[in-house]
Amino acid sequence: TWSLWMLWQRREPRLQSVQLAVATFLTVALVTGVALYPDSLVGAWSGSVALRLLALLTLCGMAWGATLLLRHYPVVASRRFTVVAVAAGSLLGVFLPLSQRGADSSTHPALRQLPASALVSRTELTAPALRLSATTTMRTGSASLLVTDGDTQLTVEPLLTFDRVSLDRFWSLFATQQSPRWQLESMQLTAGRFSGAYDGMHQGALEVSCGKEAVLVAAYTHLDTAVYSHLNSFLVLTLSGRGTLGISFSPCPQRIGILESDYPVGKPARFAVLKDRRVFEVLEARSGEKGPYAELASGTAADELTLTLYDGARAAFAVTLHDWVAQASTQLSPTAGWGVPENSIEFALSGNSHVATIFITLAATSVGRGWDTVGHAAGCYRNRVTVELLD
């Protein structure tokens, strides 16, 4: 449109060169994108996303059409300017697709392989729910456990789980691979102790043992290669009670209210992040999960992180994460901005004032704008969690 308007006005002697640079940029960007993201290109043809790809092809064709029309333009720019303009368009066409590729993964898996103790070979007939103790029920099908303290309940989902996986590090919007549910392959059950081997997109193992006042969980997920995703969870906690729900963190023990949040804009989200391995901050977004972010609390993180969960005035559970700090990525998030890293602990009410969900991730981009993917390095991720009943 700009080119045709300038042609009509006949005021731009360099119009031919500029239009040629625009056409070159679109063409190089399209070719580079196809070369870098072949799997995402397949996903782009599904659903309404295909219309965007067709629009890009149409735009590219229009640019070259306008370039051919301008061959009859009476005023021609110098050859040097034309070369510079086309070179700039080419470089920008290569840079733009490259800038959308996920950076090298910066998580730190604790192990190389699943430990021998987590490999379970014996299978027993089992019900969907197994009572391990008076307060703890193992849900074998969903690889989760329910801990009950009176009217307050806590569901723990400790296996590393991915939502949609990009095979070429491009936006998850174009991803073709979805993570299947965890399936129980084999298990062992003894008094107060459960061990299970799980299979899904990756190999996993889960061990749960119950004491008098605490539940010990050890979950393992092995990745053969680096995995890139937009949404995932290292640990999911679901808290339900009767009073006003709240949370506090060991680096900054003041209680933080768990509130409703909106997406993509509206009521601000609250979350915590680990920066530079030791700086721990609790933040609140301006609108939705988007910045700038206001600091609610901060402190210095230790090797272990403890979350205290409140139901009304009562501290109901203390959940200690023994491996999150060491394995989390502190690389800057490509979507959040404002110095926020890829790791996060997001907490919000789940459509009910008495139910809250806490999503804990090592590397994800659910905070901020966009569908950029970030990586989990190959290796075995260990998730040891201690759940203490405080009442």
Side-chain angles (χ1 to χ4, degrees), residues 290-340:
K290 301 166 181 65
Y293 304 99
E295 182 181 294
L296 301 179
S298 64
T300 301
D303 293 338
E304 298 179 346
L305 175 69
T306 298
L307 287 60
T308 304
L309 307 179
Y310 297 85
D311 180 10
R314 181 173 66 95
F317 299 101
V319 181
T320 300
L321 313 181
H322 301 279
D323 299 301
W324 181 73
V325 171
Q327 296 178 109
S329 166
T330 55
Q331 186 168 262
L332 291 179
S333 169
T335 59
W338 311 97
V340 173

Coordinates of all heavy atoms in Angstrom, one line a residue, residues 290-340:
K290 N 0.7 -10.3 32.7 CA 1.6 -9.4 32.0 C 2.1 -8.3 32.8 O 1.4 -7.7 33.7 CB 0.9 -8.9 30.7 CG 0.4 -10.1 29.8 CD -0.5 -9.6 28.7 CE -0.9 -10.8 27.9 NZ -1.7 -11.8 28.7
G291 N 3.4 -7.9 32.5 CA 4.0 -6.8 33.3 C 3.7 -5.4 32.9 O 2.8 -5.2 32.0
P292 N 4.3 -4.5 33.6 CA 5.3 -4.6 34.7 C 4.8 -5.3 35.9 O 3.6 -5.3 36.2 CB 5.7 -3.2 34.9 CG 4.6 -2.3 34.5 CD 3.9 -3.0 33.4
Y293 N 5.7 -5.7 36.8 CA 5.4 -6.5 37.9 C 5.8 -5.8 39.2 O 6.9 -5.3 39.3 CB 6.1 -7.9 37.8 CG 5.8 -8.6 36.6 CD1 6.7 -8.6 35.5 CD2 4.6 -9.3 36.4 CE1 6.4 -9.3 34.3 CE2 4.3 -10.0 35.2 CZ 5.2 -10.0 34.2 OH 4.9 -10.6 33.0
A294 N 4.8 -5.8 40.2 CA 5.1 -5.2 41.5 C 5.6 -6.3 42.4 O 5.0 -7.4 42.5 CB 3.8 -4.5 42.0
E295 N 6.6 -5.9 43.2 CA 7.1 -6.9 44.2 C 6.3 -6.9 45.5 O 6.0 -5.9 46.1 CB 8.6 -6.5 44.6 CG 9.2 -7.5 45.5 CD 10.6 -7.1 45.9 OE1 11.5 -7.1 45.0 OE2 10.9 -6.7 47.1
L296 N 5.8 -8.1 45.8 CA 5.0 -8.3 47.1 C 5.9 -8.7 48.2 O 5.6 -8.4 49.4 CB 3.9 -9.4 46.8 CG 2.9 -9.0 45.7 CD1 1.9 -10.2 45.6 CD2 2.2 -7.7 46.0
A297 N 7.0 -9.5 47.9 CA 7.9 -10.0 49.0 C 9.2 -10.4 48.3 O 9.2 -10.7 47.1 CB 7.3 -11.1 49.8
S298 N 10.2 -10.5 49.0 CA 11.5 -11.0 48.5 C 12.4 -11.6 49.6 O 12.2 -11.2 50.8 CB 12.2 -9.9 47.7 OG 12.6 -8.9 48.6
G299 N 13.4 -12.4 49.2 CA 14.3 -12.9 50.2 C 15.4 -13.7 49.5 O 15.5 -13.7 48.3
T300 N 16.2 -14.4 50.3 CA 17.3 -15.2 49.8 C 16.9 -16.6 49.9 O 16.6 -17.1 51.0 CB 18.6 -14.9 50.5 OG1 18.9 -13.5 50.4 CG2 19.7 -15.7 49.9
A301 N 17.0 -17.3 48.8 CA 16.6 -18.8 48.7 C 17.7 -19.6 49.2 O 18.9 -19.4 48.9 CB 16.1 -19.2 47.3
A302 N 17.4 -20.7 49.9 CA 18.3 -21.8 50.3 C 18.2 -22.9 49.3 O 17.5 -22.8 48.3 CB 18.0 -22.2 51.7
D303 N 18.9 -24.0 49.5 CA 18.9 -25.1 48.6 C 17.5 -25.7 48.6 O 17.1 -26.3 47.6 CB 19.9 -26.2 49.0 CG 21.3 -25.7 48.9 OD1 21.5 -24.8 48.1 OD2 22.2 -26.2 49.6
E304 N 16.7 -25.7 49.7 CA 15.4 -26.2 49.7 C 14.4 -25.0 49.9 O 14.7 -24.0 50.6 CB 15.2 -27.2 50.8 CG 16.2 -28.4 50.7 CD 16.0 -29.4 51.8 OE1 15.4 -29.0 52.9 OE2 16.5 -30.5 51.7
L305 N 13.2 -25.2 49.3 CA 12.2 -24.2 49.4 C 11.0 -24.8 50.0 O 10.5 -25.8 49.6 CB 11.9 -23.7 48.0 CG 10.7 -22.6 47.9 CD1 11.1 -21.3 48.5 CD2 10.3 -22.4 46.4
T306 N 10.4 -24.1 51.1 CA 9.2 -24.6 51.8 C 8.1 -23.6 51.5 O 8.2 -22.4 51.7 CB 9.5 -24.7 53.3 OG1 10.5 -25.7 53.5 CG2 8.2 -25.2 54.0
L307 N 7.0 -24.2 51.1 CA 5.7 -23.4 50.9 C 4.8 -23.8 52.1 O 4.5 -25.0 52.3 CB 5.0 -23.8 49.6 CG 5.6 -23.3 48.3 CD1 7.0 -23.8 48.0 CD2 4.7 -23.7 47.1
T308 N 4.3 -22.8 52.7 CA 3.3 -23.0 53.8 C 1.9 -22.6 53.2 O 1.8 -21.5 52.8 CB 3.6 -22.2 55.1 OG1 4.9 -22.5 55.5 CG2 2.6 -22.5 56.2
L309 N 1.0 -23.5 53.3 CA -0.4 -23.3 52.8 C -1.4 -23.1 53.9 O -1.4 -23.9 54.8 CB -0.8 -24.5 51.9 CG 0.3 -24.9 50.8 CD1 -0.2 -26.1 50.0 CD2 0.5 -23.7 49.9
Y310 N -2.2 -22.0 53.8 CA -3.1 -21.6 54.8 C -4.6 -21.8 54.4 O -4.9 -21.6 53.2 CB -2.9 -20.2 55.1 CG -1.6 -19.8 55.7 CD1 -0.5 -19.5 54.8 CD2 -1.4 -19.7 57.1 CE1 0.8 -19.2 55.4 CE2 -0.1 -19.4 57.6 CZ 0.9 -19.1 56.7 OH 2.2 -18.8 57.2
D311 N -5.4 -22.3 55.3 CA -6.8 -22.4 55.2 C -7.4 -21.5 56.3 O -7.5 -21.9 57.4 CB -7.3 -23.8 55.3 CG -8.8 -23.9 55.1 OD1 -9.4 -22.9 54.7 OD2 -9.3 -25.1 55.3
G312 N -7.8 -20.3 55.9 CA -8.3 -19.4 56.9 C -7.1 -18.9 57.7 O -6.0 -18.6 57.2
A313 N -7.2 -18.9 59.0 CA -6.1 -18.4 59.9 C -5.2 -19.6 60.2 O -4.1 -19.4 60.8 CB -6.7 -17.9 61.2
R314 N -5.5 -20.8 59.8 CA -4.7 -22.0 60.1 C -3.7 -22.3 59.1 O -4.0 -22.4 57.9 CB -5.7 -23.1 60.4 CG -5.0 -24.4 60.8 CD -6.1 -25.5 61.1 NE -6.9 -25.8 59.9 CZ -6.6 -26.9 59.1 NH1 -5.6 -27.7 59.4 NH2 -7.3 -27.2 58.1
A315 N -2.5 -22.6 59.5 CA -1.5 -23.1 58.6 C -1.7 -24.6 58.5 O -1.5 -25.3 59.5 CB -0.1 -22.8 59.1
A316 N -2.1 -25.1 57.3 CA -2.5 -26.5 57.2 C -1.4 -27.4 56.8 O -1.2 -28.5 57.3 CB -3.7 -26.6 56.2
F317 N -0.6 -27.0 55.7 CA 0.4 -27.9 55.2 C 1.7 -27.1 55.0 O 1.7 -25.9 54.7 CB 0.0 -28.4 53.8 CG -1.3 -29.3 53.8 CD1 -2.5 -28.7 53.4 CD2 -1.2 -30.6 54.3 CE1 -3.6 -29.5 53.4 CE2 -2.3 -31.4 54.3 CZ -3.6 -30.8 53.9
A318 N 2.8 -27.8 55.2 CA 4.1 -27.3 54.8 C 4.7 -28.2 53.7 O 4.8 -29.4 53.9 CB 5.1 -27.2 55.9
V319 N 4.9 -27.7 52.5 CA 5.4 -28.5 51.4 C 6.8 -28.0 51.1 O 7.1 -26.9 50.7 CB 4.5 -28.3 50.1 CG1 5.0 -29.1 49.0 CG2 3.0 -28.6 50.5
T320 N 7.8 -28.9 51.2 CA 9.2 -28.6 51.0 C 9.6 -29.2 49.7 O 9.5 -30.4 49.5 CB 10.0 -29.2 52.2 OG1 9.6 -28.6 53.4 CG2 11.5 -28.8 51.9
L321 N 10.2 -28.4 48.8 CA 10.7 -28.8 47.5 C 12.2 -28.9 47.7 O 12.9 -27.9 47.9 CB 10.4 -27.8 46.5 CG 8.9 -27.2 46.4 CD1 8.8 -26.3 45.3 CD2 8.0 -28.4 46.3
H322 N 12.7 -30.1 47.6 CA 14.1 -30.4 47.8 C 15.0 -30.2 46.6 O 16.2 -30.1 46.7 CB 14.3 -31.8 48.4 CG 13.6 -32.1 49.7 ND1 14.1 -31.7 50.9 CD2 12.4 -32.7 49.9 CE1 13.2 -32.1 51.8 NE2 12.2 -32.7 51.3
D323 N 14.4 -30.2 45.4 CA 15.2 -30.2 44.2 C 14.8 -29.1 43.2 O 15.5 -29.0 42.2 CB 14.9 -31.6 43.4 CG 15.4 -32.8 44.3 OD1 16.6 -32.8 44.6 OD2 14.6 -33.6 44.6
W324 N 13.8 -28.3 43.5 CA 13.4 -27.3 42.5 C 14.5 -26.2 42.3 O 14.8 -25.8 41.2 CB 12.1 -26.6 43.0 CG 11.6 -25.6 42.1 CD1 11.0 -25.8 40.9 CD2 11.6 -24.2 42.3 NE1 10.7 -24.6 40.3 CE2 11.0 -23.6 41.1 CE3 12.1 -23.3 43.3 CZ2 10.9 -22.2 41.0 CZ3 12.0 -22.0 43.1 CH2 11.4 -21.4 42.0
V325 N 15.1 -25.7 43.4 CA 16.1 -24.6 43.3 C 17.3 -25.0 42.4 O 17.7 -24.3 41.6 CB 16.5 -24.2 44.7 CG1 17.7 -23.2 44.6 CG2 15.4 -23.5 45.5
A326 N 17.8 -26.2 42.6 CA 19.0 -26.7 41.9 C 18.7 -27.0 40.5 O 19.6 -26.8 39.6 CB 19.5 -28.0 42.6
Q327 N 17.5 -27.3 40.1 CA 17.2 -27.7 38.7 C 16.6 -26.6 37.9 O 16.5 -26.7 36.6 CB 16.3 -28.9 38.7 CG 17.0 -30.2 39.3 CD 16.0 -31.4 39.3 OE1 16.2 -32.3 38.6 NE2 15.0 -31.3 40.1
A328 N 16.1 -25.6 38.5 CA 15.3 -24.5 37.8 C 16.2 -23.7 36.9 O 17.4 -23.4 37.1 CB 14.6 -23.6 38.8
S329 N 15.6 -23.3 35.7 CA 16.3 -22.4 34.8 C 16.1 -20.9 35.3 O 15.0 -20.5 35.6 CB 15.7 -22.5 33.4 OG 16.2 -21.4 32.6
T330 N 17.2 -20.2 35.4 CA 17.2 -18.8 35.7 C 17.4 -17.9 34.5 O 17.6 -16.7 34.6 CB 18.2 -18.4 36.8 OG1 19.5 -18.8 36.4 CG2 17.8 -19.1 38.1
Q331 N 17.4 -18.5 33.3 CA 17.5 -17.7 32.1 C 16.3 -16.8 31.9 O 15.2 -17.2 32.3 CB 17.6 -18.7 30.9 CG 17.9 -18.1 29.6 CD 18.3 -19.2 28.6 OE1 19.5 -19.4 28.3 NE2 17.3 -19.9 28.0
L332 N 16.5 -15.6 31.3 CA 15.4 -14.7 31.2 C 14.3 -15.3 30.3 O 14.6 -15.9 29.2 CB 15.9 -13.4 30.6 CG 16.8 -12.5 31.5 CD1 17.2 -11.3 30.7 CD2 16.1 -12.2 32.8
S333 N 13.1 -15.1 30.7 CA 11.9 -15.6 29.9 C 11.8 -14.7 28.6 O 11.9 -13.5 28.6 CB 10.6 -15.4 30.7 OG 9.5 -15.6 29.9
P334 N 11.5 -15.4 27.4 CA 11.3 -14.7 26.2 C 10.0 -14.0 26.1 O 9.7 -13.2 25.2 CB 11.5 -15.8 25.1 CG 11.1 -17.0 25.8 CD 11.5 -16.9 27.2
T335 N 9.0 -14.3 27.0 CA 7.7 -13.7 27.0 C 7.4 -12.7 28.1 O 6.6 -11.8 27.9 CB 6.6 -14.9 27.0 OG1 6.8 -15.6 28.3 CG2 6.8 -15.8 25.9
A336 N 8.0 -12.9 29.3 CA 7.6 -12.1 30.4 C 8.2 -10.7 30.4 O 7.5 -9.7 30.6 CB 8.0 -12.8 31.7
G337 N 9.5 -10.6 30.1 CA 10.1 -9.3 30.1 C 10.3 -8.8 31.6 O 10.1 -9.6 32.5
W338 N 10.8 -7.6 31.8 CA 11.0 -7.0 33.1 C 11.9 -7.8 34.0 O 11.7 -7.8 35.2 CB 9.6 -6.8 33.8 CG 8.6 -6.1 32.9 CD1 7.6 -6.7 32.2 CD2 8.5 -4.7 32.6 NE1 6.9 -5.8 31.5 CE2 7.4 -4.6 31.7 CE3 9.2 -3.6 33.1 CZ2 7.0 -3.3 31.3 CZ3 8.8 -2.4 32.6 CH2 7.7 -2.2 31.7
G339 N 12.8 -8.6 33.4 CA 13.8 -9.3 34.2 C 13.3 -10.6 34.8 O 13.9 -11.2 35.7
V340 N 12.1 -11.1 34.4 CA 11.5 -12.3 34.9 C 12.1 -13.5 34.3 O 12.2 -13.6 33.0 CB 10.0 -12.3 34.8 CG1 9.4 -13.6 35.2 CG2 9.4 -11.2 35.6

